[in-house]
Amino acid sequence: GAGVSQSPRYKVAKRGQDVALRCDPISGHVSLFWYQQALGQGPEFLTYFQNEAQLDKSGLPSDRFFAERPEGSVSTLKIQRTQQEDSAVYLCASSFERGHYSNQPQHFGDGTRLSIL
Amino acid sequence: KNQVEQSPQSLIILEGKNCTLQCNYTVSPFSNLRWYKQDTGRGPVSLTIMTFSENTKSNGRYTATLDADTKQSSLHITASQLSDSASYICVVSSDPSGGSYIPTFGRGTSLIVHP
C-alpha cells in the first residue's frame, strides 16, 4: 500500500505479558517516529529512527519499552511486562527527509490500540 | 519546558459556518509549526506546515497563520462541512541544530460540525 501500515490494529494483553507492535513505513522514507497517544490527549514522542539508527529514544517511558528498525524499513516497538498504564494508541509516522530537516510532512499510520487488562 | 496549548478544547458549529482554532506555544528555538487533522480511530493527517518566515499557509478551506513574535498560530476553517468533524492538533518542532528532533504536540481541539 501507499501509506504507513501498522499491525495489529487492536491488541489486548494481560498485565505482565510482552507485546510487539509493527510499523511498515512508506517505502523510501528515511525517518520513522513512534508516538504514544492516551485517550483524549495529543500524541507524545517516544523515539526516532533515521534509517536503522535510533537517534533519539528520550521519550520511552521506561526500560520496558524497546524499539528497533534493523534494516532501515520495518520497525517494531516492544513492551515487556506490560502494565495497565501502557494502555494507549501507539502511532507510527514516517517522513522522506531526515528528521533533522523537519519541514516535510509526517505520514501517520492508524495506530495500534493497546489495552492491558 | 516546551509546551503547546490549544483552545478551545472543544467546539460545536453548524454546517457552513466558519471557525478559528488557536495554538500558543513556548517551544524554543522554533523550527516549524504543523496543523494536523485526526479523525476518530485514525492517524493524524497533515494540513499545513509553516516555518519561521511564513505567516500564512492555505490548504483548500483550511488557512493557518503564524505569529512567531507572539508565538501564536491559528487554523481557520471556512464553510465547514460535516466531514470536518475531527480533532485538530497543533505540533511545534524545535530547531534541530542543538540536538535531536522532538516535536511537541498540543492536546487538540475537538470540532463537531452539526447539520
Side-chain angles (χ1 to χ4, degrees), chain A residues 18-22 34 60 62-68 75-82:
Chain A
D18 299 347
V19 298
L21 313 180
R22 176 186 170 105
W34 282 99
L60 296 177
S62 78
D63 59 6
R64 297 185 295 104
F65 287 70
F66 172 77
E68 61 183 3
S75 178
T76 303
L77 176 66
K78 298 179 180 178
I79 309 173
Q80 298 176 326
R81 305 181 303 281
T82 53

Side-chain angles (χ1 to χ4, degrees), chain A residues 105-107, chain B residues 19 33-38 44-50 54-65 74-81 83-84 88:
Chain A
Q106 291 191 14
H107 300 266
Chain B
C19 67
L33 184 145
R34 308 161 188 246
W35 283 94
Y36 285 90
K37 177 187 179 188
Q38 186 174 24
V45 174
S46 180
L47 295 176
T48 62
I49 301 173
M50 288 182 292
E54 298 173 297
N55 55 24
T56 187
K57 183 75 70 77
S58 291
N59 178 1
R61 293 180 297 102
Y62 301 102
T63 299
T65 64
S74 65
L75 180 69
H76 186 74
I77 305 175
T78 303
S80 61
Q81 300 176 359
S83 59
D84 293 333
Y88 291 83

Side-chain angles (χ1 to χ4, degrees), chain A residues 46-102:
Chain A
L46 292 178
T47 186
Y48 159 60
F49 290 86
Q50 182 178 309
N51 295 309
E52 70 279 2
Q54 188 175 20
L55 299 189
D56 194 316
K57 56 181 181 179
S58 61
L60 296 177
S62 78
D63 59 6
R64 297 185 295 104
F65 287 70
F66 172 77
E68 61 183 3
R69 193 186 185 198
E71 298 179 358
S73 55
V74 172
S75 178
T76 303
L77 176 66
K78 298 179 180 178
I79 309 173
Q80 298 176 326
R81 305 181 303 281
T82 53
Q83 302 294 318
Q84 285 191 323
E85 61 264 28
D86 300 335
S87 296
V89 174
Y90 291 85
L91 294 166
C92 175
S94 70
S95 67
F96 180 70
E97 290 187 350
R98 291 175 290 170
H100 278 61
Y101 300 92
S102 54

Side-chain angles (χ1 to χ4, degrees), chain A residues 9 33 35 37 40-45 48 55-56 58-59 91 99-111 113, chain B residues 9 31-32 34 36 38 41-46 49-51 89 93-94 96-97 99-108:
Chain A
R9 285 281 282 128
F33 306 81
Y35 300 94
Q37 186 173 25
Q41 305 290 320
E44 292 194 2
F45 171 83
Y48 159 60
L55 299 189
D56 194 316
S58 61
L91 294 166
H100 278 61
Y101 300 92
S102 54
N103 294 337
Q104 289 294 311
Q106 291 191 14
H107 300 266
F108 282 81
D110 287 334
R113 181 175 298 275
Chain B
Q9 184 175 351
S31 176
N32 63 65
R34 308 161 188 246
Y36 285 90
Q38 186 174 24
R42 305 297 299 274
V45 174
S46 180
I49 301 173
M50 288 182 292
T51 59
I89 303 174
S93 298
S94 297
S97 62
S100 62
Y101 162 84
I102 299 180
T104 303
F105 286 72
R107 295 179 60 174

